[in-house]
């Protein structure tokens, strides 16, 4: 694994970092909050600004792509080598809502550098991590003497990620041909810490459903009828309890069918990470680790499927008590799934299991909402090795591997484009994504530029073989 | 069991029934809704009206008793026989809210007789059933030629029953001495049906609690943390599921300790009642009978303790899904208890059991609200036999026995006054308690007067032995 930095790359970055930061700050001043309709114009302004900047960077093709919601930005810079592989970079130009009153020390849309940190909404999630590709590709060209990148480079920067990417799948299905790539680089994740650079190798998928159980036609008196008719809140409680077995495994028959188990190498690499469970619990604002037996906390959140109750309700909700048998109760469940699990198969298993749990005399509805597939790149995939080498050169040390417990549009890219998905991110947990005082570490941002500059040559080689 | 009506009683009732009904209608015109502060004056007016009418009836002592809420009415008519036993009649003069707009065919506080039915809020619950004692005691005197009742007769007619009797226990503790009685007659229940006169022999008690379970300090992301920390909604679901065993019995250790089991005679008498389970299910607005194995529906609701979920909640409550591990969840539980179960012992058993269910890493609060004791009079109690005989004479057929699944202030009377509690009621399920178009059957109301007229002589004998 090469860890040799390239002086030409570093020099180029040094020379251009002031302009790079000025530009990024200009972009961060646009409050492109996709979840707030009053910022719709700002999201569009952000797309236009980015399009202009990518053109300036040298991308011969820059386009604003409309969706049913906020616009995305597409850019393309073909390699002069027609045989070069194609790489698509994914990120987003919209941001989470933010207001000074939420607890920010400075205006969230007035970027400010304090010491070695740049504070602004979007500094890390995701404008900073999108933007490092602009200086990255220029440094790649400068250091290699090329006039076009070593790969056919494409960028797709969506505008609705912070609103749940409602139109993303439609967008990429619509532009499937133009987005075709041999690999996808997702620039919207982070690393373990400042001192432990890592590459993420996959994300969990997600299946969500809501179960409603109806008993009596209306709330009935528990004195007159209690104990003699089915209580839908009891039924829902029993289903919640039956979700897991005594070992903390999901007890739905067929749920684990086909899953890709952790390899010994992955378990070993996870175990070597400097994980402090007490500190993790503080971040989780929780008071005990708890979950599937036989797996560590990192394995549980990164690599194991789960069943979680997100919401439950039914019957009397006011203060004090009310002696009723409730007419209805509900539970909202989400299942994280891992590589090898198919959302449709998981949904079928859940449906069959729920129906088997219900006693006579209750009616139910079970509604699934849009599922997300898991994605995982094997540790020995050549493209992943190239990403790890690029990060290793930037950080001058071997990188380690992580996964993400969450679920995201990366899976749609993997699914629709049928390409391996790699993750290149330099954000750290303290960056405060979605929180007040979001920031990016300037040193790490520079490492991101550097890694992006190293990546294309190496990846062109890796994907060609 | 005597079933011989008394012609003198019947004649007296016939002669006075017009005045009796006119008076009752006057009382029913007072909208004594205790739950609505704007009717506070009406509740007081109702107490004053009743006090005046009881004085007119002949009660030498009539008093309005103040509480922290609405006033109660107390009246006393000592027997000329100083050795006569003392009997306290309980009822209430407040009523449920009612408005034409709720679905009444006529104004709820403008009593109207249609055919053999008197329609008005309070016609059956409880003004009609309180008021039959006024004509009843006069018929008793007229038919026996007595100038005072055969028992020392006391009446306590409270004004907050429809608001949960919040000050009732304090009231009777405060007046314990003046309320002292050898038996309590509760006139606030009903019979099986028009053609199956019955006497209620007991009510279930009630223990209520709310359990709150806290996990993370705030809702946390189920992608980042799910599967690795305890989920309070899951914990609550497991507690709900663990409440019952596979036979539908409450699975809390010690819960059944000391309970008075149904006797074979009671089970046989219950089984002989003309019970139609399909019709009962329609009344319960439910779709299946369900409960403790080995017991019939009537046994389940009248004579078996239960654990019921009245409300459950936690986590995301809005439309769609939200991938969080909730910070907290709650469940509101009520336990019906039967004779032999002590609320304090049951609460201790619940507390111990709940604490044993909780995993590491969650905090909880368990709050009990005011409990109600069960009450039960054995079938062979002489006072109960006297009540059954009085009802049998009025209805000219042997009466059968029921219980009430609900819980009420009767238990406080039994508890504070240490007296057996008997139930004398002529209302039927179709009377529509708490519902629009509440009514009382005039023929049954007359039977109530008649039973009250027969009761005192017989009860004086029974209690004396
Ligand atoms: Zn993001
Ligand atoms: Zn009542």
């Amino acid at each position: 694994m090469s860890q040799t930095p390239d002086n030409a790359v570093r020099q180029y970055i040094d020379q251009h970092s002031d302009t790079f930061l000025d530009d990024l700050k200009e972009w961060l001043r646009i409050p492109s909050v996709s979840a707030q309709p009053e910022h719709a114009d700002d999201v569009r302004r952000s797309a236009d600004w980015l399009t202009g900047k990518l053109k300036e960077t040298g991308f011969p093709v820059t386009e604003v792509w409309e969706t049913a919601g906020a616009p995305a930005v597409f850019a393309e810079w073909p390699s002069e080598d027609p045989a070069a592989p194609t790489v698509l970079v994914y990120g987003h130009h919209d941001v989470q809502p933010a207001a000074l009153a939420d607890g920010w020390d400075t205006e969230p849309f007035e970027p400010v550098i304090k010491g070695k940190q740049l504070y602004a909404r979007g500094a890390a999630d995701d404008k900073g991590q999108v933007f490092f590709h602009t200086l990255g590709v220029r440094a790649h060209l400068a250091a290699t003497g090329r006039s076009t990148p070593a790969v056919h480079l494409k960028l797709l920067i969506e505008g609705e990620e912070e609103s749940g990417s409602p139109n993303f799948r439609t967008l990429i299905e619509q532009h499937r041909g133009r987005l075709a790539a041999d690999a996808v680089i997702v620039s919207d994740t982070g690393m373990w810490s400042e001192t432990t650079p890592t590459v993420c190798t996959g994300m969990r998928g997600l299946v969500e459903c809501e179960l409603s159980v109806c008993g009596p036609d209306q709330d009935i008196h528990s004195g007159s009828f209690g104990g003699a008719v089915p209580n839908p809140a009891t039924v829902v409680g029993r289903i919640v309890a039956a979700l897991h077995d005594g070992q903390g495994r999901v007890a739905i028959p067929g749920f684990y069918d086909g899953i890709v188990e952790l390899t010994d190498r992955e378990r070993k690499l996870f175990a070597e990470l400097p994980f402090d469970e007490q500190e993790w619990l503080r971040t989780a604002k929780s008071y005990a680790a708890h979950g599937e037996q036989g797996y560590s906390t990192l394995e549980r959140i990164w690599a194991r499927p789960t069943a979680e109750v997100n919401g439950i309700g039914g019957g009397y909700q006011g203060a004090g008590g009310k002696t009723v048998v409730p007419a209805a109760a509900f539970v909202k469940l989400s299942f994280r799934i891992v590589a090898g699990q198919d959302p449709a198969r998981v949904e079928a298993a859940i449906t069959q299991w729920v129906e088997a749990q219900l006693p006579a005399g209750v009616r139910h509805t079970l509604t699934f909402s849009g599922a997300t597939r898991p994605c995982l790149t094997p540790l020995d995939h050549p493209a992943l090795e190239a990403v790890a080498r690029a990060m290793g050169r930037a950080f001058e040390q071997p990188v380690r591997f992580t996964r993400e417990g969450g679920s995201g549009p990366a899976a749609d890219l993997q699914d629709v484009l049928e390409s391996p998905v790699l993750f290149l991110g330099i954000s750290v947990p303290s960056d405060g994504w979605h929180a007040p005082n979001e920031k990016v570490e300037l040193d790490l941002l520079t490492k991101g530029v550097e890694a992006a500059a190293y990546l294309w040559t190496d990846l062109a080689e890796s994907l060609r073989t």
Side-chain angles (χ1 to χ4, degrees), chain A residues 331-396:
Chain A
V331 61
K332 294 170 189 276
L333 300 172
S334 64
F335 299 82
R336 298 286 162 176
I337 56 176
V338 301
Q341 283 181 301
D342 175 69
R345 282 209 322 271
V346 168
E347 289 181 9
I350 294 167
T351 302
Q352 197 171 5
W353 176 81
V354 162
E355 284 168 2
Q357 304 294 306
L358 298 168
V362 301
R363 291 137 295 141
H364 80 288
T365 56
L366 178 64
T367 315
F368 290 91
S369 40
T372 307
R373 289 176 180 280
C375 60
L376 180 68
T377 309
L379 290 188
D380 57 359
H381 192 286
L384 179 58
E385 290 176 333
V387 171
R389 274 194 299 273
M391 284 285 281
R393 286 175 74 186
F395 283 90
E396 296 178 67

Side-chain angles (χ1 to χ4, degrees), chain A residues 265-447:
Chain A
R265 185 177 165 216
E266 279 173 299
R267 299 191 76 168
K268 187 164 170 294
L269 288 173
F270 287 179
E272 285 170 8
L273 286 165
F275 177 67
D276 178 336
E277 192 149 273
Q278 289 311 311
E279 193 186 313
W280 180 84
L281 280 173
R282 279 191 293 277
T283 312
K285 298 176 192 301
S286 292
Y287 297 86
H290 181 97
E292 189 182 1
Q293 283 174 27
Y295 293 92
S296 70
T297 291
L298 287 181
E299 290 168 352
R300 286 170 178 166
I301 56 175
W302 287 348
R304 297 300 299 169
T306 64
E308 208 71 61
V309 179
N310 307 125
I312 191 167
Y316 182 62
Q317 301 289 309
K322 191 173 181 191
T323 49
V324 295
V325 176
F330 71 85
V331 61
K332 294 170 189 276
L333 300 172
S334 64
F335 299 82
R336 298 286 162 176
I337 56 176
V338 301
Q341 283 181 301
D342 175 69
R345 282 209 322 271
V346 168
E347 289 181 9
I350 294 167
T351 302
Q352 197 171 5
W353 176 81
V354 162
E355 284 168 2
Q357 304 294 306
L358 298 168
V362 301
R363 291 137 295 141
H364 80 288
T365 56
L366 178 64
T367 315
F368 290 91
S369 40
T372 307
R373 289 176 180 280
C375 60
L376 180 68
T377 309
L379 290 188
D380 57 359
H381 192 286
L384 179 58
E385 290 176 333
V387 171
R389 274 194 299 273
M391 284 285 281
R393 286 175 74 186
F395 283 90
E396 296 178 67
Q397 60 174 290
V399 299
R400 294 162 186 270
F401 296 96
T402 63
R403 292 196 198 175
E404 284 272 327
S407 310
D412 284 321
L413 291 162
Q414 181 192 46
D415 198 37
V416 174
L417 306 181
E418 296 173 17
S419 307
V421 170
L422 298 313
F423 297 85
L424 181 69
I426 50 73
S427 180
V428 286
S430 63
D431 284 352
W433 288 31
H434 302 195
N437 301 314
E438 180 182 347
K439 53 92 178 161
V440 68
E441 298 286 335
L442 292 176
D443 284 350
L444 299 182
L445 193 61
T446 304
K447 298 290 186 201

Side-chain angles (χ1 to χ4, degrees), chain A residues 68-118:
Chain A
V73 171
F74 175 76
E76 191 170 359
W77 197 337
S79 174
E80 62 210 328
D81 173 5
T86 303
V87 176
L88 173 68
V89 170
Y90 165 83
H92 59 91
H93 67 91
D94 63 319
V95 297
Q96 280 278 316
L100 194 59
D102 298 341
W104 285 75
D105 294 332
T106 55
E107 283 291 347
F109 297 105
E110 190 42 67
V112 56
I113 292 174
K114 291 191 232 171
K116 305 281 255 176
Q117 300 167 329
L118 168 59

